[in-house]
């Protein structure tokens, strides 16, 4: 079993897509091990995306991610990191495969509905950013 950190981003929560996305998560066979609604501050978003600090879209991304409530989740499944990224689809919805969440729900490369950890080390950092170990037992 593997765990990954997923986020239903502010664009999707604002458009009332959280329920549909949660249904897709359960239909795909993930166990939801933890879940919380959060409204990130700008500083919270900057800390979460610290690896992207040098990217040209960092200010825009952290403004967007702190613009409204999001839903953060810990998903568990065999090969959860890859499985969740496959369900999300490519970062840019224009390049995402049919049937993926981003193809269906994203509005742009930035407002792309969902987040998923990209490697085991990132998942460990990102899960710890939002959840205490005791919430995951
Ligand atoms: P992910 O792992 O698929 O989420 O993609 P990245 O780690 O490359 O980027 C993190 C997030 O930054 C993406 O999910 C988007 O919300 C945003 N992002 C990525 N590329 C761009 C871009 O070229 N322009 C803008 N404005 N945002 C971007």
């Amino acid at each position: 079993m593997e765990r990954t950190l997923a986020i239903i981003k502010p664009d999707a929560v604002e458009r009332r897509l959280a329920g549909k996305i949660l249904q897709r998560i359960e239909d795909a066979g993930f166990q939801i091990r933890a879940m919380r609604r959060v409204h990130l501050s700008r500083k919270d978003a900057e800390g979460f995306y610290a690896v992207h600090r040098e990217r040209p879209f960092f200010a825009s991304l952290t403004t967007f991610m702190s613009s409204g409530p999001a839903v953060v989740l810990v998903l568990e499944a065999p090969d959860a990191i890859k499985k969740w990224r496959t369900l999300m689809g490519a970062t840019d919805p224009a390049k995402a495969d049919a049937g993926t969440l981003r193809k269906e729900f994203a509005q742009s490369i930035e407002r792309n509905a969902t987040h998923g950890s990209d490697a085991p080390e990132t998942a460990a950092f990102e899960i710890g950013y939002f959840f205490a170990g005791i919430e995951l037992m």
Side-chain angles (χ1 to χ4, degrees):
M1 278 296 172
E2 187 177 64
R3 289 176 181 178
T4 191
L5 192 278
I7 304 180
I8 303 174
K9 292 185 178 182
D11 59 315
V13 172
E14 182 185 357
R15 293 163 64 221
R16 298 174 185 272
L17 296 168
K20 284 198 175 80
I21 292 171
L22 287 170
Q23 186 69 61
R24 295 281 294 273
I25 286 169
E26 293 197 318
D27 289 349
F30 291 98
Q31 294 285 346
I32 297 173
R33 294 301 306 254
M35 175 162 70
R36 183 165 354 105
R37 176 187 183 275
V38 292
H39 190 154
L40 300 181
S41 68
R42 182 70 181 268
K43 274 206 156 37
D44 295 333
E46 287 173 355
F48 182 74
Y49 279 119
V51 291
H52 292 316
R53 211 179 302 110
E54 305 304 327
R55 308 275 283 271
F57 55 82
F58 183 69
S60 175
L61 173 62
T62 53
T63 299
F64 158 56
M65 288 299 289
S66 56
S67 66
V71 177
V72 293
L73 307 112
V74 176
L75 304 182
E76 187 174 87
D79 210 11
I81 293 170
K82 186 154 157 256
K83 183 178 161 81
W84 173 236
R85 288 187 68 89
T86 301
L87 181 58
M88 288 199 300
T91 310
D92 181 354
K95 295 179 184 154
D97 290 339
T100 61
L101 296 173
R102 283 166 164 173
K103 183 70 174 186
E104 207 166 320
F105 300 126
Q107 296 174 297
S108 69
I109 192 167
E110 180 172 279
R111 298 173 67 86
N112 61 359
T114 53
H115 166 86
S117 312
D118 63 4
E121 310 74 56
T122 345
F125 166 76
E126 293 181 353
I127 290 170
Y129 200 77
F130 289 110
F131 297 99
I134 198 160
E135 296 172 270
L136 293 163
M137 306 226 314

